[in-house]
Amino acid sequence: MELNEGKQERYFIVVRRSKNGLSRGSIGCADAETAAGDLIGMVYGGGGSAKSSGTVKKQDTYPLTRHQAQLLLFVSPASRRLELMCNVQLFSAICALAQDDLVVVKHKKDFQPCLVKNLIQIGKKDKPGVLQMLGFELDLVDTQHDILSKTTVPLPFFSAADIVQVAPSHLNTRQPLRDSVDLGLKRKAVSRINSMPALNSRNAKKGSIILNTDVSSTIQSLSHSSLEVGSMAEVISLNGLTVFGVIRWIGVPEGKRNCWAGLELDNEVTTCSDGTFGTKRYFTCEGNKALFVPLTNCKPDSRFLFIPNEIPKPLEPLSVTLLEDLNEDVPPVAEQDVLSHLIGRMRGIQGHFNSCYLDTTLFSLFTSSVAFNRMFSTSEDSEEGISNILRRDIVNRLRRTGFVPAESVMKFRERLGCKSFATEEKDPEEFITLLLKQVLHIEPLLKIRSCGDLAQGAYTHQIIVEKNQVRAVPSVQQLLEMSFVSSDLKFEEIPSCLIVQMPRFGKKFKMFPKIIPSTELDITDILHCSPRECFLCGHPAEYECVQCLMDHKLQPGKIKQYCITCNTQVHIHSSRKEHTPQKLTVPDHLPEDAPVQRQQMQLFAVLCINTSHYVSFVKYGPNPRSWIFFDSMADRCGDDNSGYNVPVIRSCPEVGDFLSQSEEEMSTADVSQSSEMVRRLLCDSYMCLYQRTE
Ligand SMILES: [Zn+2]
Ligand SMILES: [Zn+2]
């Protein structure tokens, strides 16, 4: 074996789990390369000291500069290093940070604007086999008062992965930080360069420093630059509450001198108008929703956190080569990480060219649920086959990085086998059936027995009811039961996943103005050959009566099954004499007094439609408030031809609060007083997705 001896140190990061056990994200330094393409060198452990030496396949690594290696080494756990690298633009901006650049960091669960003060070397110096880590020393910026807060407790050193945004620098003096290599001290040895004089001029105000005007204006421009008509913005109102809305108008109103914005708020506020200000109309919206304020009072909607508008093209091919580990299924983002990992602009699946039916369906199916992961293990596709494209480029990427670019979705769309799916608007149910049946060859999710005949397979269930069969504001539970009973249907077995289509016709007409999406669906009484309780006394039921269903004395709308005794008694009554109760098929040898086990399924996503555009709500964990809202085309950057869509994920715990109420409260709630999210969930639902819980 011949070695290519090279004096130059070559740093790398491991992007694929290697045969000899190096985990993804490990950082190392190679000092030689074999003819066979193996790198010989060592890998750094915690603290930057050499942990192990050996060989690693070059194709399992990605090259780094020394500076990148030092920055990434301070990031832990190692898996976060790869995540950061996937965000190509952000990472290169972090590598180029200079003193006094403005950044946003995640600190104590909050997002904080900060100024870069120093780059800090951490680790022992001048010791062979040690690579010093690099961290950032930052100063907090108080955006309310344009001051630098000098906290009594010094801030910790931040790693590159703590930085979530880098503001474009307009400052005059940019001193590159990376020349500041200096001494090493004891345990947490640090070295730093001196702060700039401007930042040292302490103001009389205790504990704070007045920002120089350059910094102030940078913060100002960061806050306002991206605001234009159509932007989502927030305003702190006089009573201190933050209100959210869309900017509908910008200009100088009559009688004012500076630039004002007219916002259409998400919610009504009694002092607001319908688009008039003073005596003049500037735009038109619903009453009590138009708010006029100086433009400088508006900030970009903080619910879409800190991903700058001006990202040109979000991802470059680098990430594709980094993340093509095919043999693993990335688990869904953990509940406690969703808010930091998924919320914001440029999150989720990026929409493109009529793709919302598809983005929304994929997001709903895969963000939090693993019910469909089995489709990957059963498919025997080639590496570039469609199921692998779906798994690697969409599902794994969505869960690992929180963002799937439109290109990946387009590549997938083009492989769907039917040309119209790549270009035209479709319905989610069409797509689901095509995906599961013809592309992934999965057996039907539902086996439904009709009128006692043999069971038929289906992938979704379309609710079919008469309007007068259910309440004015029905729940999915009622709708499903009624749909099954009135058509004499039964589930042959408990489905692993149940996709229910709401009663609507086409895109416009909906049968019910509001539907309550039941968070738990009890299918015990619509299961074939399953033990059921008598509707009246709770003993094992042996008869079912369809005609009793709407009996106004017996809880109209509830399914009625009776034990032998109750069946006789109920049908003695003159009004029910004509009924023809059916004998139920029940399992043999049922113990008399065993309680009937309820079969329940849990809601994990709701697809909604409004004016031909699909969006979705996803429940991302067991906490009742763990709800997010996704729109693949929430905003657009640039013009129709050269621009791109901005997908947005919002947190909406209020949806969970609403759904925690009783059905009675939900059905009588005044949606005009509810948040926009609750209104959309209640009024626009198109499809509810349930999964089995163990
Ligand atoms: Zn009974
Ligand atoms: Zn009856």
Side-chain angles (χ1 to χ4, degrees):
M1 200 193 303
E2 205 179 306
L3 296 186
N4 286 326
E5 285 288 355
K7 279 276 160 250
Q8 217 186 344
E9 297 168 312
R10 277 174 300 175
Y11 296 91
F12 62 84
I13 184 164
V14 178
V15 294
R16 258 183 230 96
R17 221 181 355 235
S18 63
K19 289 227 170 65
N20 52 3
L22 289 181
S23 53
R24 290 157 48 86
S26 302
I27 287 172
C29 177
D31 39 37
E33 181 179 342
T34 68
D38 290 341
L39 298 177
I40 301 180
M42 59 187 155
V43 167
Y44 301 104
S49 52
K51 188 173 67 178
S52 60
S53 54
T55 60
V56 57
K57 281 211 177 316
K58 197 176 177 184
Q59 72 213 48
D60 292 338
T61 67
Y62 194 86
L64 299 175
T65 65
R66 183 184 169 89
H67 185 68
Q68 289 173 333
Q70 287 180 294
L71 285 174
L72 289 172
L73 200 55
F74 192 43
V75 174
S76 75
S79 57
R80 283 185 69 199
R81 298 169 182 164
L82 288 172
E83 277 168 32
L84 175 60
M85 284 186 69
C86 287
N87 200 334
V88 178
Q89 230 120 26
L90 178 65
F91 185 53
S92 51
I94 290 171
C95 291
L97 275 177
Q99 197 174 21
D100 283 349
D101 277 350
L102 188 58
V103 296
V104 177
V105 293
K106 196 170 174 218
H107 179 50
K108 292 181 178 166
K109 298 194 168 172
D110 252 351
F111 292 89
Q112 277 285 357
C114 290
L115 284 179
V116 175
K117 198 169 160 193
N118 286 308
L119 194 62
I120 305 296
Q121 288 202 348
I122 302 150
K124 291 173 186 162
K125 208 206 159 197
D126 292 339
K127 213 180 149 211
V130 173
L131 180 69
Q132 288 185 304
M133 302 180 283
L134 287 180
F136 292 94
E137 190 180 18
L138 304 175
D139 277 326
L140 282 181
V141 175
D142 183 341
T143 42
Q144 299 293 312
H145 306 100
D146 287 356
I147 52 172
L148 281 178
S149 304
K150 189 164 179 307
T151 42
T152 43
V153 185
L155 289 177
F157 297 138
F158 290 89
S159 80
D162 295 321
I163 298 176
V164 296
Q165 186 187 350
V166 174
S169 173
H170 309 300
L171 301 179
N172 38 16
T173 46
R174 274 177 70 92
Q175 303 184 349
L177 288 168
R178 70 193 57 157
D179 301 325
S180 62
V181 178
D182 206 346
L183 73 160
L185 299 173
K186 287 181 192 121
R187 194 187 60 83
K188 271 220 162 177
V190 298
S191 61
R192 61 186 76 199
I193 54 172
N194 290 326
S195 299
M196 284 184 62
L199 299 184
N200 277 335
S201 58
R202 297 277 143 78
N203 186 267
K205 222 178 194 177
K206 227 182 268 170
S208 36
I209 306 168
I210 294 286
L211 284 188
N212 67 42
T213 31
D214 281 345
V215 178
S216 269
S217 61
T218 303
I219 295 168
Q220 288 275 322
S221 66
L222 182 68
S223 312
H224 303 294
S225 60
S226 52
L227 289 179
E228 56 192 17
V229 171
S231 297
M232 290 178 254
E234 66 179 56
V235 178
I236 311 252
S237 66
L238 285 176
N239 56 12
L241 285 175
T242 304
V243 292
F244 299 94
V246 176
I247 296 186
R248 296 282 310 273
W249 174 84
I250 291 179
V252 181
E254 244 172 32
K256 303 286 176 193
R257 285 175 156 195
N258 46 1
C259 212
W260 282 52
L263 292 96
E264 179 176 353
L265 299 180
D266 289 357
N267 299 306
E268 291 186 21
V269 174
T270 41
T271 50
C272 287
S273 72
D274 63 350
T276 56
F277 183 57
T279 54
K280 225 179 137 192
R281 176 172 296 281
Y282 295 93
F283 65 94
T284 304
C285 66
E286 285 176 49
N288 293 343
K289 281 195 170 181
L291 175 71
F292 289 83
V293 291
L295 184 59
T296 48
N297 289 16
C298 300
K299 289 197 300 183
D301 193 329
S302 65
R303 295 171 300 180
F304 310 143
L305 287 167
F306 295 117
I307 308 298
N309 274 336
E310 49 272 8
I311 294 177
K313 272 281 168 185
L315 276 174
E316 283 166 32
L318 168 66
S319 62
V320 181
T321 50
L322 269 178
L323 296 173
E324 57 187 353
D325 205 341
L326 254 183
N327 296 320
E328 61 179 304
D329 281 324
V330 177
V333 178
E335 185 176 33
Q336 69 270 18
D337 295 332
V338 163
L339 293 185
S340 62
H341 198 69
L342 285 182
I343 303 301
R345 291 169 64 85
M346 277 298 177
R347 304 270 83 192
I349 302 174
Q350 186 182 26
H352 177 64
F353 207 68
N354 295 333
S355 69
C356 66
Y357 77 91
L358 184 139
D359 313 321
T360 306
T361 306
L362 291 176
F363 188 87
S364 306
L365 289 177
F366 295 111
T367 302
S368 73
S369 169
V370 292
F372 289 91
N373 271 26
R374 68 196 170 102
M375 70 169 62
F376 303 124
S377 47
T378 57
S379 89
E380 289 170 0
D381 237 351
S382 70
E383 197 158 296
E384 279 308 303
I386 187 161
S387 76
N388 280 329
I389 292 178
L390 173 65
R391 176 198 230 182
R392 176 191 58 214
D393 297 346
I394 297 182
V395 178
N396 279 357
R397 183 181 283 186
L398 175 67
R399 291 174 179 174
R400 193 181 274 135
T401 72
F403 176 72
V404 179
E407 291 77 13
S408 301
V409 181
M410 210 55 208
K411 187 167 137 197
F412 171 74
R413 258 172 113 183
E414 282 161 0
R415 300 291 286 273
L416 275 172
C418 174
K419 213 175 165 206
S420 63
F421 277 90
T423 51
E424 288 168 24
E425 273 183 41
K426 294 277 174 182
D427 297 326
E429 65 272 22
E430 276 180 278
F431 170 58
I432 288 174
T433 304
L434 179 87
L435 177 76
L436 301 187
K437 184 178 180 184
Q438 275 145 36
V439 177
L440 296 162
H441 310 292
I442 291 186
E443 285 202 4
L445 299 170
L446 313 177
K447 295 196 176 64
I448 296 174
R449 187 181 280 256
S450 164
C451 310
D453 283 349
L454 279 181
Q456 305 241 330
Y459 292 89
T460 61
H461 176 72
Q462 168 69 61
I463 300 270
I464 298 171
V465 291
E466 302 284 333
K467 206 164 178 176
N468 59 2
Q469 286 179 313
V470 289
R471 290 204 306 234
V473 182
S475 66
V476 174
Q477 176 80 47
Q478 288 178 322
L479 288 171
L480 184 72
E481 284 188 355
M482 186 53 77
S483 181
F484 265 59
V485 169
S486 58
S487 308
D488 196 4
L489 306 176
K490 286 276 187 319
F491 283 118
E492 182 75 12
E493 55 192 52
I494 304 163
S496 60
C497 180
L498 170 56
I499 301 173
V500 188
Q501 291 170 249
M502 298 302 109
R504 323 177 46 117
F505 303 104
K507 291 191 163 145
K508 295 261 161 62
F509 180 79
K510 46 186 178 183
M511 197 166 200
F512 301 95
K514 291 184 272 181
I515 292 172
I516 297 165
S518 314
T519 49
E520 296 215 318
L521 203 54
D522 189 322
I523 60 166
T524 317
D525 293 337
I526 48 177
L527 264 179
H528 175 71
C529 196
S530 164
R532 291 163 63 180
E533 285 171 337
C534 171
F535 172 74
L536 293 171
C537 72
H539 282 102
E542 294 191 36
Y543 288 88
E544 180 176 54
C545 182
V546 179
Q547 291 105 320
C548 277
L549 188 79
M550 293 310 288
D551 193 303
H552 65 277
K553 283 187 186 146
L554 297 167
Q555 288 192 34
K558 282 288 286 179
I559 294 182
K560 307 297 172 351
Q561 66 270 342
Y562 306 107
C563 65
I564 300 177
T565 319
C566 293
N567 184 50
T568 312
Q569 294 209 327
V570 161
H571 292 107
I572 283 171
H573 194 278
S574 58
S575 68
R576 307 191 190 99
K577 271 209 167 119
E578 306 298 308
H579 289 191
T580 50
Q582 302 287 309
K583 185 107 171 72
L584 281 173
T585 316
V586 286
D588 294 335
H589 316 298
L590 262 190
E592 255 301 301
D593 294 321
V596 168
Q597 201 200 339
R598 307 304 301 182
Q599 304 296 344
Q600 293 193 317
M601 302 191 72
Q602 223 115 40
L603 181 66
F604 69 93
V606 181
L607 264 77
C608 291
I609 184 171
N610 192 347
T611 54
S612 297
H613 181 56
Y614 292 98
V615 294
S616 83
F617 291 88
V618 168
K619 177 108 191 301
Y620 61 85
N623 188 312
R625 308 190 81 214
S626 292
W627 281 91
I628 48 177
F629 171 80
F630 168 63
D631 184 345
S632 68
M633 305 179 178
D635 200 358
R636 195 168 166 87
C637 275
D639 58 35
D640 280 355
N641 294 321
S642 61
Y644 57 90
N645 288 311
V646 179
V648 169
I649 303 177
R650 290 161 72 166
S651 159
C652 48
E654 70 270 27
V655 161
D657 292 339
F658 180 83
L659 292 173
S660 303
Q661 302 174 98
S662 72
E663 248 179 51
E664 190 59 36
E665 287 172 299
M666 286 189 266
S667 63
T668 53
D670 177 2
V671 284
S672 66
Q673 297 298 310
S674 309
S675 83
E676 187 208 349
M677 294 289 103
V678 170
R679 187 176 53 72
R680 291 179 80 165
L681 180 79
L682 215 57
C683 303
D684 300 342
S685 64
Y686 184 88
M687 198 178 247
C688 291
L689 284 69
Y690 290 87
Q691 62 188 342
R692 231 189 132 175
T693 47
E694 296 316 329

